[in-house]
Amino acid sequence: MSNHDTMFINGKWVQAAGKETADVINPCNEEVIATVRMGNQEDVDRAVAAARAAFPSWAKTPVAQRAEYISKIAKAMAARQPEIGDTIAREMGMPQQLARMIQVGLPIAVLNSFIPIMNNYQFEYPMGRTMIVKEPIGVCGFITPWNYPMHQVIGKVAPALAAGCTMVLKPSQLAPLNSYLLAEIMEEVGLPAGVFNLVVGAGSKVGHALALHRDVDMISLTGSTGSGTLVAQAAAETIKRVTLELGGKSANVILDDADLQKAVSKGVFSCFLNSGQTCISLSRMLVPAAKQKEAAEIAKATVATMKMGDAFTEGVYLGPMVDAQQRESVQGYIKSGIQEGATLVIGGPEKPEGLEKGYFVKPTVFADVTPGMKIAQEEIFGPVLSIVPYKSEEEAVAIANDSVYGLSGCVWSADPERARGIARQIRTGQVFINDAIFDVDAPAGGYKMSGIGRERSKYGLEEYLEIKAIIGSGQ
Ligand code: NAD
């Protein structure tokens, strides 16, 4: 059990001004693993002032030197990969091996991906009579979730450092422990004081204060669409730049010529990664109506191979939900699927046998899901897959697009060109073809209510830049 009563501000660990505390709970066994102090307005003001003071000199630091810091951060993170992965496994429940590989491996890859981008980026160039100068936007406020906590943080910190911005991070209070480790790394690599500041606290207090703050130039949130709306409203007061990475209800479109066994089983694994607590989870599986029965059988057999349990038990693929509230919400969705008449293929709302402690939910597959059902429309954020039958390719595209969200998707076909043709018609920020894996070099972000802006790649860097036009030669 660890206690954290400090914040990382201006390069130092300082006593938190906020007096409230929050317990961090291991969702696998419901035990308190840490108690952390929650920041208040004074903590936010101190952190923003430090970031503001550090901005002019960090903005002027040569690009190659900033790249060097990013490289050092990636190396320091790699040196502590098992420790960070295990911390994340403990605070949010993802199985240890997956946590080490994905929760830490991905952010390291993302940090490294920005080095060639920034070294090749044209921060200044002539355009006719005008000189275009791309400048860092300034002080950034970052508000992040618990599901891929380090990855979501680095998705913002890496491009901000690359651009020359300074920042204040407010991580999720459900999984803040890895952020203290990140602050330790910033200290270890000697990042100039005030460039990176950490204030842990509640979204409604610290997050809201950052979104409202006059001295914050940009706010970037990854989280639910509801929080995105509140942050955008608060940020509107000072016309700051807002980028949002929000929820999703992504469609996995399996065409009639696809290898059904492969498409369905991979689709189930991908949907249930991190127990379905993944923004880009392919939670709707669209299959030709004539193949639905076979697809449901494959899905059922795939789920039956998945082991659920404690994050530190070997061979476990499915961990718990992050907290009791999330477990109840997911169970509620399973009940609603049954009530609305979907066919329960496997799973159900009851507690899984043998897992008395911990916020576990049975991995659940529904078939005969129609597009209007709640389980086809709302983001469940749990291990629940909805199989939706379709009769024609046009209908499949219409169902895929029948969502307020537009984050991700996938198309399976024996003919990649045919798959790409469907991908072009799907209104989402990313579409995977067949078993394409996650690409850290690809931009990610949402259409519609899934967000504003992009993370990763040069498009992710550009979110942190202002464009200045210096016109005329002055002669
Ligand atoms: P959440 O919205 O509850 O919290 C996210 C962050 O916002 C937390 O740090 C929280 O404290 C803060 N917050 C909450 N209310 C706030 C307010 N009024 N003002 C300022 N900050 C506030 O989300 P969560 O439960 O932590 O994460 C799950 C959600 O995140 C899902 O909807 C998921 O799809 C989404 N998500 C999206 C992406 C993406 O890249 N698009 C990635 C991961 C997660």
Side-chain angles (χ1 to χ4, degrees):
M1 164 107 171
S2 61
N3 290 308
H4 294 270
D5 56 6
T6 52
M7 307 287 172
F8 187 70
I9 296 174
N10 206 21
K12 292 190 193 69
W13 292 96
V14 298
Q15 193 64 34
K19 298 283 177 264
E20 286 172 29
T21 60
D23 288 338
V24 181
I25 293 168
N26 178 342
C28 295
N29 57 22
E30 303 175 37
E31 281 170 15
V32 176
I33 52 170
T35 300
V36 301
R37 280 279 275 278
M38 305 287 270
N40 63 9
Q41 183 73 47
E42 194 183 327
D43 292 305
V44 171
D45 288 342
R46 282 191 296 173
V48 171
R52 174 59 59 202
F55 177 63
S57 119
W58 182 245
K60 278 195 223 99
T61 302
V63 173
Q65 216 172 315
R66 294 204 300 265
E68 191 56 32
Y69 278 112
I70 293 178
S71 168
K72 282 188 189 159
I73 295 165
K75 284 198 184 92
M77 202 178 277
R80 295 175 75 171
Q81 188 158 359
E83 178 196 2
I84 301 169
D86 294 1
T87 300
I88 294 174
R90 231 170 268 124
E91 60 186 334
M92 56 70 67
M94 188 188 226
Q96 181 193 34
Q97 292 310 324
L98 287 170
R100 287 183 179 190
M101 188 174 70
I102 298 173
Q103 300 275 10
V104 199
L106 272 188
I108 294 170
V110 170
L111 280 160
N112 285 325
S113 76
F114 274 100
I115 295 167
I117 294 170
M118 61 197 290
N119 283 336
N120 295 319
Y121 194 77
Q122 275 193 293
F123 287 90
E124 275 194 38
Y125 53 90
M127 201 178 77
R129 290 188 299 117
T130 293
M131 179 62 79
I132 298 293
V133 183
K134 306 267 185 83
E135 297 180 339
I137 188 160
V139 174
C140 304
F142 295 149
I143 306 173
T144 55
W146 48 266
N147 61 330
Y148 291 87
M150 186 66 93
H151 177 58
Q152 305 307 344
V153 165
I154 292 300
K156 304 179 192 306
V157 167
L161 290 174
C165 295
T166 57
M167 63 212 77
V168 179
L169 165 67
K170 189 220 82 72
S172 167
Q173 62 275 36
L174 296 180
L177 302 182
N178 63 93
S179 287
Y180 295 105
L181 300 181
L182 179 64
E184 283 177 20
I185 287 173
M186 299 301 191
E187 201 179 11
E188 198 180 308
V189 304
L191 192 72
V195 172
F196 172 89
N197 304 275
L198 171 69
V199 178
V200 172
S204 56
K205 292 192 178 152
V206 173
H208 184 69
L210 281 172
L212 274 181
H213 212 289
R214 295 217 154 262
D215 252 346
V216 171
D217 301 290
M218 167 175 173
I219 194 96
S220 178
L221 170 128
T222 298
S224 60
T225 295
S227 302
T229 303
L230 292 173
V231 162
Q233 280 168 347
E237 292 274 326
T238 50
I239 319 289
K240 51 175 65 74
R241 186 176 296 175
V242 177
T243 64
L244 302 169
E245 295 286 328
L246 307 174
K249 189 75 193 176
S250 300
N252 187 6
V253 182
I254 300 178
L255 297 180
D256 53 8
D257 63 349
D259 175 342
L260 197 66
Q261 174 68 37
K262 195 171 169 191
V264 173
S265 58
K266 294 245 179 194
V268 171
F269 269 101
S270 142
C271 176
F272 288 179
L273 177 68
N274 209 14
S275 292
Q277 304 170 116
T278 302
C279 55
I280 58 169
S281 171
L282 300 168
S283 53
R284 295 184 293 154
M285 183 180 281
L286 277 49
V287 298
K291 297 194 173 189
Q292 185 186 212
K293 204 160 169 263
E294 199 187 335
E297 284 307 315
I298 299 167
K300 186 176 175 180
T302 308
V303 171
T305 66
M306 290 176 178
K307 194 165 152 185
M308 177 175 257
D310 187 274
F312 291 85
T313 302
E314 223 179 288
V316 161
Y317 186 73
L318 296 165
M321 302 295 91
V322 75
D323 62 9
Q325 199 186 333
Q326 186 60 21
R327 175 184 59 195
E328 268 126 54
S329 160
V330 176
Q331 287 169 335
Y333 277 111
I334 298 174
K335 286 180 195 152
S336 106
I338 295 168
Q339 276 157 12
E340 287 194 276
T343 305
L344 185 64
V345 175
I346 189 168
E350 315 80 25
K351 230 175 179 303
E353 290 101 48
L355 291 166
E356 296 321 315
K357 278 268 176 203
Y359 309 121
F360 293 95
V361 173
K362 278 187 177 175
T364 299
V365 176
F366 284 107
D368 299 308
V369 176
T370 54
M373 289 180 187
K374 219 166 134 178
I375 55 167
Q377 287 294 332
E378 295 182 19
E379 183 183 49
I380 300 175
F381 230 54
V384 181
L385 173 68
S386 298
I387 301 182
V388 187
Y390 68 84
K391 293 209 177 65
S392 65
E393 223 173 85
E394 294 69 40
E395 195 192 8
V397 171
I399 295 172
N401 287 332
D402 180 10
S403 173
V404 295
Y405 295 113
L407 195 57
S408 188
C410 183
V411 185
W412 283 83
S413 168
D415 174 0
E417 216 22 71
R418 185 177 171 210
R420 275 192 282 273
I422 300 287
R424 286 194 182 88
Q425 298 173 62
I426 296 180
R427 295 192 43 79
T428 60
Q430 289 195 331
V431 187
F432 292 78
I433 300 293
N434 294 336
D435 51 355
I437 55 163
F438 193 85
D439 180 4
V440 290
D441 296 316
Y447 283 28
K448 303 192 262 180
M449 286 176 81
S450 287
I452 302 173
R454 292 292 176 271
E455 287 194 339
R456 303 194 290 279
S457 82
K458 74 165 183 173
Y459 303 104
L461 173 66
E462 286 176 344
E463 300 290 350
Y464 294 85
L465 296 170
E466 283 283 17
I467 300 170
K468 178 176 283 172
I470 301 178
I471 304 164
S473 63
Q475 283 157 4

